[in-house]
Amino acid sequence: MNELNVQFEKIRQSQTVAMGDRIMALKAAGRAIVGLQMGDPDFATPPAVLDAAFKAMQDGFTHYAPSRGTLELRRAASAKLQRDNSVSYDPETELLITHGGIHAYYLAMQSVVNPGDEVLVPDPSWATHSNMAIMLRGNVVRVPAPAENGFIPYFESWEKALTSKTRVIVLNYPCNPTGAYLTREYLQKLQDFAAAHNLWIVSDEVYENLYYGEKPTSVAAIEGAQERTLLVHSFSKTFAMTGWRVGYLAAPARVIENALKAGQNSITCVAPFVQKAAAFALTDPDVRQTSETMRLAYARRRELVLRISHELESDKVLVTPPMGAFYFFLDMRLLKMTSVEICERILEEVGVGLVPGSAFGAQGEGFLRMTIAASDEDVEEGFRRIMAWAENLKI
Ligand SMILES: Cc1ncc(COP(=O)(O)O)c(C=O)c1O
């Protein structure tokens, strides 16, 4: 038989997607399932963004666009980075429009990872962060981010993971699945560490607008960090635009030159009417206000879960308030079952879709990811079912 690319033997199918497929099948069979597994906003894309896309289509923006992305959107992204993150990126040379945040991450990693390079990825972390490095023949080294330290790596863990082959640090704060993010002081220390060892920092900031306390700092805004940082951004979560597939990479010009070659030779360009709509979303004050309204809705649901958790006072499901993103990482370690087992049983017995924490790494074992990117009713119903299920367990 012809040989396949062996790298794929090291990668599992996405457990979030697999869970979504199972839920669809159960729903089709008539089960009343509450799906709290997907990281996809339940809000509609703001109607004015749809109008901008329709108009662009009617105006003929239906042909190839520049592989770098339209200058209009790169300028809008540059202005946003300046306005919201206090970082300056030249729209001509330091920005590239991508097919969503996942593609920005792909191009970032393609641009800097050589086969055999070691890539430091916190554990737990979104599976793609590791999978992509593996696909590119990098070696992933997981850096524990234990619950006991607020899902943030102890600083010594970075030092311990370092070898002469380390090339990249991957960050994702606010974090999927834990909602944790790093303080400015921590980021400064990490930048000093990266500078001392000549490392790239690939920072996935797709949840930057979803926070419930102080606004998170972009690592690129830390003194000295920008020259080694590759920023991954997306419209998916901030503007409820997951299906539009648009995001951007901000990085030093020589990185963007590589990313441009990778993009050109894989997708050619992002659809121009999508880029028109994205530029509109970044610049229109009403759309930005709608995005803020969504953030406040997530904050309200977060409070709802915390209120129910205080009301029920379970010692079997420990609930830590997430600082950002739109997930709770429920601690069910006391049940002494694997996350997969708990997830399966909750789905079968009380009809709630979740993602096993182990899908995000060994540190996630015993945890379950529950999204609040679902209606208030579903969040409340789903969470109450989970709590009742755990309470009724004999352990
Ligand atoms: C941490 C993280 N990064 C990137 C993405 C990808 O988002 P996009 O839809 O922009 O590709 C996701 C999606 O769930 C995510 O959780």
Side-chain angles (χ1 to χ4, degrees), residues 36-353:
L36 299 181
Q37 77 287 352
M38 278 299 274
D40 192 347
D42 58 311
F43 299 106
T45 302
V49 175
L50 306 186
D51 292 343
F54 288 146
K55 179 164 186 318
M57 279 190 248
Q58 281 158 347
D59 289 348
F61 288 89
T62 51
H63 294 265
Y64 291 130
S67 293
R68 222 181 256 282
T70 62
L71 189 56
E72 180 192 31
L73 181 51
R74 283 182 278 134
R75 282 190 174 138
S78 168
K80 175 259 171 270
L81 289 167
Q82 188 72 60
R83 180 186 69 220
D84 297 348
N85 309 96
S86 310
V87 286
S88 299
Y89 282 91
D90 181 350
E92 303 277 353
T93 58
E94 296 178 318
L95 275 158
L96 181 75
I97 306 306
T98 64
H99 204 251
I102 197 169
H103 185 232
Y105 180 67
Y106 174 55
L107 297 184
M109 297 294 277
Q110 272 267 16
S111 303
V112 298
V113 173
N114 286 303
D117 283 349
E118 288 178 6
V119 176
L120 306 188
V121 180
D123 173 356
S125 176
W126 186 49
T128 299
H129 292 141
S130 300
N131 290 346
M132 197 73 84
I134 294 169
M135 278 160 55
L136 296 168
R137 294 173 193 269
N139 291 328
V140 173
V141 177
R142 301 303 299 262
V143 180
E148 289 60 42
N149 198 41
F151 292 112
I152 288 169
Y154 290 110
F155 206 83
E156 308 78 76
S157 303
W158 295 106
E159 284 160 353
K160 224 172 112 193
L162 186 79
T163 73
S164 58
K165 293 194 178 143
T166 310
R167 164 117 24 197
V168 183
I169 291 177
V170 175
L171 301 181
N172 166 226
Y173 298 104
C175 172
N176 172 12
T178 66
Y181 54 85
L182 305 176
T183 61
R184 189 171 258 280
E185 293 69 41
Y186 191 103
L187 286 171
Q188 183 67 63
K189 251 177 108 176
L190 206 52
Q191 142 61 15
D192 295 344
F193 170 75
H197 301 287
N198 222 2
L199 309 179
W200 293 107
I201 300 174
V202 175
S203 183
D204 174 345
E205 301 187 1
V206 305
Y207 292 101
E208 61 151 2
N209 277 306
L210 299 177
Y211 55 92
Y212 309 107
E214 213 175 296
K215 186 174 158 45
T217 304
S218 169
V219 64
I222 300 297
E223 205 184 326
Q226 194 170 336
E227 66 186 64
R228 68 186 62 263
T229 298
L230 288 67
L231 285 186
V232 167
H233 276 274
S234 171
F235 292 76
S236 290
K237 319 287 178 177
T238 302
F239 297 108
M241 289 176 68
T242 47
W244 296 68
R245 312 309 305 134
V246 57
Y248 50 98
L249 176 66
R254 65 194 181 104
V255 173
I256 293 293
E257 284 312 306
N258 274 4
L260 176 62
K261 288 180 196 164
Q264 221 159 36
N265 289 290
S266 53
I267 65 152
T268 305
C269 65
V270 172
F273 53 89
V274 167
Q275 297 194 54
K276 274 275 180 195
F280 180 79
L282 277 185
T283 46
D284 183 72
D286 292 340
V287 173
R288 284 176 31 217
Q289 187 52 47
T290 308
S291 164
E292 175 62 7
T293 308
M294 292 190 244
R295 182 175 82 88
L296 296 175
Y298 297 128
R300 195 184 60 236
R301 293 169 188 168
R302 173 179 174 276
E303 286 303 319
L304 174 69
V305 171
L306 294 176
R307 211 169 49 240
I308 298 171
S309 126
H310 284 139
E311 177 198 310
L312 299 177
E313 276 189 61
S314 166
D315 54 0
K316 294 183 182 153
V317 184
L318 302 183
V319 179
T320 309
M323 292 159 66
F326 44 39
Y327 309 101
F328 274 81
F329 210 43
L330 304 172
D331 183 350
M332 300 198 179
R333 285 178 292 180
L334 232 89
L335 301 187
K336 303 262 184 292
M337 288 188 247
T338 66
S339 306
V340 170
E341 255 178 283
I342 302 173
C343 205
E344 296 275 339
R345 284 195 57 182
I346 289 181
L347 181 62
E348 288 302 328
E349 295 171 26
V350 291
V352 182

